[in-house]
Amino acid sequence: MKRVIYLDHAATTPTDPRVVEAMLPYFSDLYGNPSSAHSVGRKAESAVEMARATLARLLNCSREEVIFTACGTESDNMALRGPIMAAAERGQKGHIITAHSEHHAVSYTAAQVAALGLARVTWLQVDRAGRVTPEALTDALDQVAPGEVAVVSVMYANNEVGTVQPIRELAALAHQRGALFHTDAVQAAGQLSLDVAELGVDMLSLSAHKFYGPKGVGLFYLRKGLELLSAQTGGGQEFGRRAGTHNVPLIVGMAKALDLAYSDLPARVDHYRTLRDALIDGVLALPGAHLTGADKAGRLPNHASFVFDGIEANALLMHLDINGIAGSSGSACNTGSPKPSEVLLSMGYPERLALSSLRLTVGKANTLDDITYTLNTLAGALERIRAVRVAQGV
Ligand code: PLP
């Protein structure tokens, strides 16, 4: 089979073979339920607790602050629903402050919690780069009424446009007003520091499949002492925060993957930057191409995203796919639907351009030859698509 040039690492990454190797015994020989008191269960429990200790070290938090979940989506849901439901139980109203440019796991959850009457939502305005400014957050915090439990949720780095948010500053602002601060760090993991003490966040979400770990496992960091209503009721797993039998192999795999990601971080990020910069410089030299999101310094090291004059993203992605290049028009969950990107619309792009977005995200195995081939293919595809439009009089 012809090798596919995979440039969609923001959608998912292949599981590192060392991670697969670490997980394998927990599917077979070490199959115990960590909640069982006997020796078979204790072996599984010990693996879960070793994984928790590794992750706590990498996040610079304590073990009790690490909660295992099934994905980034679940962690995001917990961050919004947990404190708001706990407030509802005390008879208090919630107030969520977030943006339409967040992943749907956050923005749709906020909308649903509001529709259920449990909280009000104040939507943050983002700038042209997709950034939440301290001024925008201050204005939103002004809307919080006395007695409301406020939760601010701003992602660390945007999945569609790669913009990195000023998390430390925003979290500090939220805390000055007594609000809780959550960050969705799903895209940032394996590229930016996840030191929760330094970031000053109360809650943080991760998903293993974005950093060469397995799909179907996530992490939710919850600062000690914060009240949260359990997402699922049932057993007492995860300090009573999240019921359900532990997925031991995947938990072991997530810890291994994050450990690997931070053990060679500087070299890998350098590699990403070299490829990404070649990609950005090459694409911007093509006619009618525009970078979306922040400039090189303000975006994820592996992330390049563009819009194009006179181009429909689906046609472009098809051309790339036929030529063995896997890219994306933005969030993987939305691929296939011809709706304009909500992220770009919220950043002020007109619908015409928001329908032309291309996201290319590099990974460990990519090379400069991959980038050269992609740039040549892209140049040809843009020319052909525009020629067809001219011929059709569109
Ligand atoms: N948050 C962001 C920023 C994401 O990019 C994604 C996945 O694309 C998610 C949350 C959801 O993570 P998961 O796929 O683990 O549910």
Side-chain angles (χ1 to χ4, degrees):
M1 198 178 93
K2 207 175 107 198
R3 183 171 93 88
V4 170
I5 295 180
Y6 186 74
L7 293 174
D8 200 12
H9 293 85
T12 197
T13 56
T15 310
D16 189 303
R18 293 167 292 180
V19 171
V20 175
E21 200 186 327
M23 290 193 297
L24 281 178
Y26 297 96
F27 286 108
S28 49
D29 297 351
L30 301 167
Y31 53 82
N33 182 335
S35 302
S36 302
H38 47 62
S39 64
V40 180
R42 282 202 307 274
K43 279 186 191 150
E45 190 202 10
S46 143
V48 168
E49 291 316 314
M50 268 166 64
R52 198 190 304 282
T54 301
L55 292 160
R57 169 175 56 76
L58 293 164
L59 267 66
N60 190 22
C61 66
S62 63
R63 286 177 49 261
E64 304 75 40
E65 294 174 316
V66 170
I67 297 173
F68 294 119
T69 65
C71 53
T73 299
E74 186 188 339
S75 301
D76 285 347
N77 269 257
M78 271 175 103
L80 266 58
R81 291 183 204 279
I84 299 294
M85 302 286 282
E89 210 180 33
R90 295 191 302 267
Q92 277 179 288
K93 264 279 160 66
H95 194 136
I96 296 171
I97 297 176
T98 191
H100 289 294
S101 52
E102 291 290 311
H103 192 274
H104 286 163
V106 167
S107 60
Y108 284 11
T109 305
Q112 194 193 60
V113 168
L116 290 171
L118 298 170
R120 295 195 291 142
V121 183
T122 297
W123 296 101
L124 290 160
Q125 188 58 53
V126 295
D127 67 15
R128 184 73 173 183
R131 212 176 269 119
V132 173
T133 62
E135 295 72 32
L137 180 56
T138 304
D139 287 350
L141 287 163
D142 283 344
Q143 309 298 314
V144 178
E148 283 181 331
V149 171
V151 180
V152 178
S153 186
V154 177
M155 68 208 311
Y156 198 168
N158 186 276
N159 47 312
E160 284 192 39
V161 296
T163 300
V164 177
Q165 301 285 358
I167 294 302
R168 288 169 201 79
E169 205 177 338
L170 298 178
L173 263 179
H175 290 155
Q176 277 167 26
R177 305 291 195 90
L180 297 173
F181 193 92
H182 165 250
T183 193
D184 172 339
V186 168
Q187 292 292 335
Q191 300 194 56
L192 306 176
S193 162
L194 293 180
D195 183 328
V196 290
E198 201 212 317
L199 288 169
V201 298
D202 301 303
M203 296 174 278
L204 178 141
S205 306
L206 293 183
S207 174
H209 73 100
K210 307 289 185 176
F211 48 86
Y212 295 88
K215 291 167 188 61
V217 62
L219 180 152
F220 179 57
Y221 159 76
L222 177 69
R223 190 165 57 75
K224 216 182 289 175
L226 288 185
E227 255 201 86
L228 176 131
L229 208 68
S230 174
Q232 280 151 219
T233 41
Q237 291 94 344
E238 296 305 286
F239 318 105
R241 309 289 204 191
R242 200 265 187 183
T245 300
H246 292 98
N247 193 335
V248 183
L250 271 64
I251 288 169
V252 168
M254 174 163 65
K256 179 76 180 173
L258 203 67
D259 204 15
L260 288 171
Y262 283 87
S263 62
D264 69 347
L265 190 73
R268 199 161 34 75
V269 162
D270 256 12
H271 174 65
Y272 288 169
R273 281 214 177 92
T274 305
L275 302 186
R276 179 207 64 180
D277 291 356
L279 201 47
I280 291 180
D281 295 343
V283 173
L284 292 184
L286 300 173
H290 314 276
L291 185 71
T292 57
D295 59 12
K296 287 174 186 165
R299 63 190 301 133
L300 281 175
N302 81 330
H303 197 294
S305 56
F306 310 92
V307 287
F308 300 92
D309 298 329
I311 294 292
E312 212 266 305
N314 281 348
L316 187 56
L317 287 171
M318 241 167 56
H319 268 79
L320 294 179
D321 196 25
I322 288 166
N323 288 288
I325 299 166
S328 159
S329 62
S331 147
C333 325
N334 295 334
T335 304
S337 81
K339 280 197 291 194
S341 150
E342 279 173 54
V343 174
L344 291 178
L345 292 179
S346 73
M347 288 159 60
Y349 282 84
E351 193 168 317
R352 168 182 56 80
L353 278 177
L355 279 165
S356 74
S357 69
L358 174 68
R359 178 184 74 183
L360 299 172
T361 43
V362 302
K364 293 197 277 197
N366 291 125
T367 62
L368 269 175
D369 282 349
D370 291 348
I371 305 302
T372 307
Y373 174 75
T374 301
L375 289 170
N376 290 335
T377 309
L378 190 59
L382 291 172
E383 222 172 275
R384 239 166 289 136
I385 294 168
R386 288 192 181 118
V388 170
R389 285 173 65 105
V390 170
Q392 290 174 339
V394 185

